[in-house]
C-alpha cells in the first residue's frame, strides 16, 4: 500500500517569498491533515479536511497561510508571505473515516532565511 | 484547552535496560490516548493506543496504561534495543480525530 506522499522534501526561501507544499494521501482516506512541527516541539494541527470540506482551521494563520483539497484527494498548503518563524517541518497525514489512526508522510522541511 | 506534557529528553539507556517515558494530559471529556514513534529518516507512525480508562495498549514490547485518576499514559518497555532509538510522541484525541501532541522525547539506546 502506498503511503502519504509529500513534496518537495526540502525548501529554502527568503522571508516575504511564497511557497507551496503538496500532499497526496493514501487512496480512499477521507480525512487529511496538515501539521506544523517546529524544531524541538510536537506537531501542531494547522488544518483538517473531511473529503474536500474544512473541519478545523482554528490554528491556521489565515493572513498568510491557505490550504485547499481539490476533489477530496490531493491537497496544497501555501504560505504567502513567509516569515522567519515559519521555518519548520510541514507534515501531511491522512486517515480512513472510521479509524482513529493517522498515517503520516515524511514531511517538507522549510527554512526561511 | 487540551494539552500533553512529556518528560524532556534525551533519554540515554544501555541495551536491555528498562524504559519509562512519562506522559500526562489535560483534556475535556474522555480522550483516546496514543504513542507515536518517529525513527530516524522516517515519518511518524502509530506505536500503540488506548481508548478508555484502564485500557492497556501494547505493541513491539512497548506498553502503556490509560490512568484516568492520574491523567497519565506512561510508555514502558522491559528491555530496549538499539533499534528502539527514536523520538516518541504522546498524543490525545478528544473525538474529532485530530491529534494533540506532546513535545516528544528522544530515546538513544547504546550497545
Amino acid at each position: 500500500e502506498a503511503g502519504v506522499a509529500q513534496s518537495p522534501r526540502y525548501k529554502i526561501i527568503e522571508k516575504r517569498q511564497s511557497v507551496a507544499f503538496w500532499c497526496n494521501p493514501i487512496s480512499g482516506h477521507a480525512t487529511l491533515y496538515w501539521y506544523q512541527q517546529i524544531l524541538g516541539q510536537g506537531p501542531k494541527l494547522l488544518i483538517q479536511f473531511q473529503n474536500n470540506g474544512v473541519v478545523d482551521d482554528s490554528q491556521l494563520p489565515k493572513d498568510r497561510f491557505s490550504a485547499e483539497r481539490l476533489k477530496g484527494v490531493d491537497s496544497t498548503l501555501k504560505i504567502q508571505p513567509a516569515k522567519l518563524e515559519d521555518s519548520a517541518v510541514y507534515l501531511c497525514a491522512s486517515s480512513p473515516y472510521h479509524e482513529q489512526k493517522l498515517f503520516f508522510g515524511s514531511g517538507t522541511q522549510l527554512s526561511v532565511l | 484547552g487540551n494539552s500533553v506534557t512529556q518528560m524532556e529528553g534525551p533519554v540515554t539507556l544501555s541495551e536491555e535496560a528498562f524504559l519509562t517515558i512519562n506522559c500526562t494530559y489535560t483534556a475535556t471529556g474522555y480522550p483516546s490516548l496514543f504513542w507515536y514513534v518517529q525513527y530516524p529518516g522516517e515519518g511518524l507512525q502509530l506505536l500503540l493506543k488506548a481508548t478508555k480508562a484502564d485500557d492497556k495498549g501494547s505493541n513491539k514490547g512497548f506498553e502503556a496504561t490509560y490512568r484516568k485518576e492520574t491523567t497519565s499514559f506512561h510508555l514502558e518497555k522491559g528491555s530496549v534495543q538499539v533499534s528502539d532509538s527514536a523520538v516518541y510522541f504522546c498524543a490525545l484525541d478528544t473525538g474529532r480525530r485530530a491529534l494533540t501532541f506532546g513535545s516528544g522525547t528522544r530515546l538513544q539506546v547504546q550497545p
Side-chain angles (χ1 to χ4, degrees):
Chain A
E1 176 181 78
V4 176
Q6 289 189 247
S7 67
R9 187 73 179 88
Y10 304 94
K11 190 72 176 178
I12 300 173
I13 61 172
E14 294 186 351
K15 60 183 179 183
R16 291 187 290 272
Q17 286 187 323
S18 62
V19 64
F21 313 126
W22 173 81
C23 172
N24 182 229
I26 293 173
S27 178
H29 283 194
T31 310
L32 184 147
Y33 312 81
W34 284 101
Y35 282 85
Q36 180 193 57
Q37 186 176 14
I38 293 172
L39 187 64
Q41 299 180 20
K44 182 185 82 171
L45 179 69
L46 292 175
I47 189 167
Q48 177 185 356
F49 291 95
Q50 183 72 30
N51 296 311
N52 60 352
V54 175
V55 175
D56 183 358
D57 63 357
S58 58
Q59 298 190 86
L60 186 74
K62 299 180 186 65
D63 58 333
R64 298 184 300 107
F65 286 64
S66 64
E68 61 181 3
R69 189 179 184 194
L70 299 174
K71 299 180 182 179
V73 182
D74 292 9
S75 178
T76 56
L77 176 70
K78 297 179 182 178
I79 308 174
Q80 182 178 13
K83 293 185 176 181
L84 296 177
E85 58 261 36
D86 297 332
S87 295
V89 176
Y90 291 84
L91 298 168
C92 181
S94 67
S95 70
Y97 183 71
H98 289 295
E99 191 171 346
Q100 268 187 323
K101 180 178 179 181
L102 271 63
F103 295 79
F104 283 84
S106 298
T108 295
Q109 185 170 331
L110 174 67
S111 297
V112 182
L113 306 179
Chain B
N2 302 325
S3 66
V4 176
T5 302
Q6 291 182 235
M7 64 187 288
E8 290 191 13
V11 174
T12 303
L13 296 173
S14 299
E15 208 164 23
E16 298 184 4
F18 184 86
L19 169 70
T20 300
I21 299 178
N22 291 336
C23 170
T24 57
Y25 68 90
T26 301
T28 53
Y30 303 96
S32 296
L33 301 174
F34 304 82
W35 279 99
Y36 275 75
V37 60
Q38 187 169 32
Y39 298 104
E42 299 184 17
L44 279 160
Q45 54 187 279
L46 178 65
L47 179 60
L48 54 84
K49 71 177 185 181
T51 57
K52 61 182 186 297
D54 300 325
D55 268 3
K56 177 185 286 188
S58 62
N59 186 24
K60 299 181 180 180
F62 290 88
E63 293 183 340
T65 301
Y66 190 140
R67 300 289 187 197
K68 184 172 179 290
E69 63 276 13
T70 55
T71 61
S72 65
F73 192 55
H74 304 320
L75 182 69
E76 296 181 336
K77 187 174 185 181
S79 176
V80 293
Q81 305 300 311
V82 172
S83 58
D84 294 325
S85 297
V87 182
Y88 293 82
F89 292 89
C90 186
L92 64 83
D93 175 9
T94 55
R96 298 185 300 113
R97 285 182 288 115
L99 296 171
T100 299
F101 285 92
S103 57
T105 302
R106 182 177 299 277
L107 170 65
Q108 297 174 327
V109 181
Q110 298 176 338

